[in-house]
């Protein structure tokens, strides 16, 4: 219990630090974002419009402490300001419409990559020196060595442009009305297949090779050899004895991968013009949309912290030695 409390306390402290840094950094910049945005529309916007933008961003004549209090109040009430590139659309509304696309694409591709790669790593380590052990890591590493955007462009050219098997942009057919209909869901699947396959092939190798190496090391441990000598069933030996301990280092990588789901795969979403967070963040940087950039970065930081907290708690469940050491 003490270990869990310590982990939660560290999470709260880290979350507060991320929120505070996210508040301070834009205010350390020379000038302020509202002035930069106002300069683009010189002669088109009035002074009152500039003041409204400053107020929406939380920068005004009030003290820094009052701005911080207002910032926290708006943060926890999901009032994250107004977007500059689509003024006066709320940032929370734009993120809310883009986030499900990224989670659906990158999240599903990541989960499939993790579970498939881990399972294959367990299998080929048990059947090492076999055909799959000699070929699968090499083939998967060849795909991982290729740049994401190059593979995405290749898929767009071959399967989208030449063969016309899959659409080359957007999240669904604009002619279809969104809803839980078979036509709409099929359209979403068709649009997500190529970018999802790009992410899957790019990330599969790390999980396969990582789990294979961890398993080979674990299979050489004395307790595994002893269990095998006692006649423990193969399936139990492979999963309960070897894989359970070999998977622990994978959890750290899994936490990072899950945290990165929120940020999306920027290059892949750009190539396929996919309406996710990565594409939105790129547009925000190009447009100097500071409220959107600030909110996106904070969302990514929170996702990474939450993922690490979950993995820390899983570690203590899978390996009691960690929980005992934390208690001491």
């Amino acid at each position: 219990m003490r270990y869990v409390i310590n982990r939660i306390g560290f999470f709260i402290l880290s979350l507060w630090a991320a929120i505070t840094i996210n508040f301070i950094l834009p205010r350390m910049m020379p000038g302020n974002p509202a002035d930069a945005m106002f300069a683009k529309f010189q002669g088109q916007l009035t002074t009152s419009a500039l003041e409204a933008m400053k107020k929406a961003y939380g920068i005004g004549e009030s003290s820094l402490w009052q701005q911080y209090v207002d910032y926290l109040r708006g943060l926890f009430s999901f009032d994250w300001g107004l977007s500059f590139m689509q003024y006066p659309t709320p940032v929370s509304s734009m993120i809310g419409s883009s986030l499900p696309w990224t989670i659906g694409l990158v999240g599903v591709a990541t989960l499939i990559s993790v579970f498939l790669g881990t399972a294959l790593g367990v299998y080929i380590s048990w059947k090492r020196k076999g055909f799959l052990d000699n070929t699968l890591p090499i083939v998967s590493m060849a795909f991982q060595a290729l740049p994401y955007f190059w593979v995405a462009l290749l898929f767009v050219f071959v399967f989208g442009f030449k063969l016309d098997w899959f659409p080359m942009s957007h999240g669904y057919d604009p002619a279809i009305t969104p809803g839980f209909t078979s036509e709409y869901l099929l359209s979403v699947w068709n649009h997500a297949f190529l970018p999802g396959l790009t992410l899957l092939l790019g990330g599969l190798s790390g999980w396969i090779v990582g789990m294979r190496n961890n398993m080979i090391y674990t299979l050489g441990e004395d307790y595994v050899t002893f269990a095998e000598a006692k006649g423990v069933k193969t399936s139990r030996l492979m999963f309960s004895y070897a894989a359970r301990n070999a998977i622990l280092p994978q959890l750290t990588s899994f936490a990072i991968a899950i945290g990165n789901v929120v940020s999306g795969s920027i290059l892949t979403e750009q190539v396929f013009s996919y309406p996710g967070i990565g594409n939105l963040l790129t547009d925000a940087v190009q447009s100097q949309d500071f409220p959107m950039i600030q909110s996106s970065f904070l969302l990514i930081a929170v996702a990474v912290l939450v993922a690490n907290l979950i993995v820390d708690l899983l570690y203590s469940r899978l390996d009691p030695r960690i929980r005992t050491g934390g208690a001491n």
Side-chain angles (χ1 to χ4, degrees):
M1 178 60 69
R2 183 178 178 183
Y3 174 83
V4 174
I5 294 175
N6 288 338
R7 292 294 92 194
I8 294 176
F10 179 76
F11 166 77
I12 294 174
L13 180 62
S14 301
L15 181 61
W16 171 80
I19 290 173
T20 303
I21 292 173
N22 197 53
F23 167 79
I24 292 175
L25 285 180
R27 287 159 178 80
M28 294 178 63
M29 299 172 59
N32 66 63
D35 287 335
M37 190 64 186
F38 183 72
K40 295 182 179 181
F41 297 96
Q42 192 67 38
Q44 301 179 28
L45 297 178
T46 63
T47 304
S48 59
L50 173 61
E51 294 302 321
M53 292 171 67
K54 287 182 178 180
K55 184 177 180 181
Y57 190 62
I59 298 177
E61 301 300 327
S62 58
S63 65
L64 189 64
W65 171 252
Q66 184 60 46
Q67 292 180 34
Y68 184 61
V69 172
D70 293 339
Y71 166 75
L72 292 178
R73 187 182 297 114
L75 188 66
F76 291 105
S77 63
F78 296 98
D79 181 12
W80 298 345
L82 305 178
S83 170
F84 286 171
M85 61 182 176
Q86 295 186 24
Y87 187 82
T89 305
V91 168
S92 57
S93 175
M94 296 175 64
I95 291 180
S97 62
S98 298
L99 189 59
W101 291 101
T102 292
I103 293 177
L105 174 66
V106 185
V108 171
T110 299
L111 289 177
I112 294 175
S113 180
V114 170
F115 287 110
L116 181 60
T118 301
L120 289 174
V122 171
Y123 180 79
I124 65 176
S125 66
W126 193 261
K127 302 287 185 179
R128 56 185 179 276
K129 304 302 180 183
F131 174 75
L132 286 179
D133 187 37
N134 292 329
T135 58
L136 192 58
I138 298 175
V139 173
S140 61
M141 288 177 68
F143 275 105
Q144 188 175 24
L146 298 174
Y148 276 109
F149 70 91
W150 189 86
V151 176
L153 288 171
L154 180 64
F155 282 174
V156 167
F157 178 74
V158 175
F159 298 108
F161 181 72
K162 285 293 185 181
L163 299 177
D164 196 24
W165 288 357
F166 296 96
M168 296 182 288
S169 61
H170 304 305
Y172 63 95
D173 188 347
I176 299 176
T177 302
F180 287 100
T181 62
S182 58
E183 184 183 23
Y184 174 72
L185 295 177
L186 181 61
S187 177
V188 170
W189 164 262
N190 287 335
H191 283 76
F193 183 81
L194 288 183
L197 183 61
T198 303
L199 298 172
L200 177 62
L201 293 177
L204 193 61
S205 175
W207 301 107
I208 294 176
V209 175
M211 192 61 188
R212 175 189 178 275
N213 294 341
N214 294 337
M215 278 289 293
I216 290 176
Y217 176 79
T218 305
L219 289 172
E221 295 287 346
D222 293 339
Y223 68 89
V224 177
T225 304
F226 180 71
E228 187 176 10
K230 286 180 61 178
V232 176
K233 291 175 59 176
T234 300
S235 58
R236 186 182 177 192
L237 185 66
M238 182 165 55
F239 293 105
S240 299
Y241 283 79
R244 178 175 179 175
N245 292 283
I247 203 174
L248 290 176
Q250 294 280 91
L251 290 177
T252 303
S253 300
F254 180 65
I256 298 173
I258 290 297
N260 289 337
V261 164
V262 175
S263 64
S265 182
I266 294 176
L267 292 178
T268 301
E269 290 186 4
Q270 279 287 297
V271 171
F272 290 97
S273 297
Y274 202 77
I277 288 291
N279 205 359
L280 184 65
L281 183 57
T282 302
D283 293 341
V285 172
Q286 293 175 345
S287 304
Q288 296 184 345
D289 190 343
F290 293 98
M292 178 63 69
I293 296 171
Q294 186 180 28
S295 300
S296 299
F297 283 156
L298 181 59
L299 190 64
I300 294 169
V302 171
V304 173
L305 289 174
V306 170
N308 277 280
L309 175 63
I310 294 173
V311 168
D312 281 341
L313 299 179
L314 284 177
Y315 257 106
S316 66
R317 180 69 177 176
L318 295 174
D319 191 350
R321 295 172 299 178
I322 297 175
R323 185 169 60 248
T324 303
N328 293 334

